[in-house]
Amino acid sequence: MILYAIPFISAAIGWFTNYVAIKMLFHPREEKDFGLVKFHGIFPKRKPVLAERLGRIVANDLLSPQILKDRIDNDNNRTKLKTAIMLQVDDYLKTKFKESNKMFAMFLNDKVIEQLKERLAIMLDDLVPQVMLQISNKVEEIDIEKLVHDRVINFSNEKLENLLMSVIKKELKFIELAGAILGFIIGVIQVGIVFAGNAIQ
């Protein structure tokens, strides 16, 4: 009977060793000194390196200043900004301005409003690109690499664990399960070897 339990024991051992290995990625969160041996979770210990590399990856490949600049200053956003301004001006002239300036309201008919809007539209054709360019140029001054680095460094070890687990939790669970399956298979092979040896005798 003990022989038949070997695959299950091996499966439990395979699962447990992988479980412990995964736990050691994050724990202990603070370094534990046991004299000759020191224990510290891999990710908490390597957080400065992780922060540095993550900052570099984000700044160079994922969210570079040039990418942000292109996302901000483009024809589509320029058109949206101009349209939004025109709508606000139209609403202001037709409602709030007339309500607060009763004397001028009698001269501000639809034709005059349209003339004002036409002149404003011409002015915005020059102004909007300048504004968008100034905003996008300010983005280039942001040190994204340092920003990401500092954010990660300031994460508590618990928050860092929760952040990484939210991304790789399923994969880590699969590794635990794979350890159990592999352990079970090894156990079955061991039992098979024993039976084969008994048969030869």
Side-chain angles (χ1 to χ4, degrees):
M1 292 295 294
I2 296 178
L3 193 62
Y4 291 111
I6 289 177
F8 299 98
I9 295 172
S10 296
I13 293 173
W15 171 83
F16 182 71
T17 53
N18 282 11
Y19 173 80
V20 171
I22 289 170
K23 282 296 180 183
M24 289 176 67
L25 292 174
F26 304 100
H27 298 271
R29 289 174 180 156
E30 304 299 332
E31 186 178 74
K32 303 294 183 183
D33 191 348
F34 296 98
L36 296 176
V37 181
K38 294 181 180 180
F39 287 102
H40 199 186
I42 293 174
F43 283 123
K45 182 178 181 179
R46 303 282 289 174
K47 185 165 69 171
V49 176
L50 177 64
E52 180 184 345
R53 292 181 180 177
L54 188 59
R56 192 179 304 123
I57 289 171
V58 172
N60 293 337
D61 301 316
L62 301 179
L63 207 61
S64 69
Q66 186 59 49
I67 292 174
L68 287 175
K69 186 175 180 179
D70 292 341
R71 293 285 293 178
I72 293 171
D73 188 12
N74 54 60
D75 291 339
N76 186 44
N77 285 342
R78 288 182 180 185
T79 300
K80 286 182 178 179
L81 179 59
K82 180 181 176 181
T83 301
I85 293 173
M86 294 298 296
L87 288 173
Q88 289 295 320
V89 169
D90 183 70
D91 179 65
Y92 177 75
L93 291 176
K94 290 182 178 178
T95 57
K96 296 177 182 179
F97 182 81
K98 286 186 176 182
E99 291 172 1
S100 59
N101 298 273
K102 301 292 185 180
M103 184 178 297
F104 295 101
M106 64 181 69
F107 302 105
L108 200 64
N109 54 38
D110 290 342
K111 183 178 180 180
V112 174
I113 290 175
E114 288 303 315
Q115 289 176 344
L116 289 173
K117 287 171 59 181
E118 286 177 6
R119 293 183 180 181
L120 177 62
I122 294 172
M123 183 181 70
L124 288 177
D125 285 337
D126 293 328
L127 181 61
V128 168
Q130 294 176 25
V131 171
M132 297 296 284
L133 182 61
Q134 289 177 3
I135 294 173
S136 62
N137 285 339
K138 285 293 181 182
V139 171
E140 290 187 322
E141 299 175 8
I142 300 174
D143 190 342
I144 296 175
E145 182 174 342
K146 185 177 185 303
L147 183 65
V148 174
H149 173 274
D150 292 346
R151 289 285 294 174
V152 175
I153 282 293
N154 291 324
F155 282 165
S156 67
N157 289 332
E158 181 180 3
K159 185 172 183 179
L160 179 64
E161 178 181 352
N162 292 335
L163 178 65
L164 293 173
M165 285 297 288
S166 68
V167 177
I168 60 175
K169 185 176 181 178
K170 289 183 179 180
E171 288 74 12
L172 296 181
K173 287 294 182 183
F174 174 77
I175 291 173
E176 290 180 23
L177 180 61
I181 293 172
L182 186 59
F184 184 83
I185 292 172
I186 292 172
V188 170
I189 293 172
Q190 289 174 333
V191 172
I193 292 172
V194 171
F195 276 118
N198 290 339
I200 292 173
Q201 294 177 359

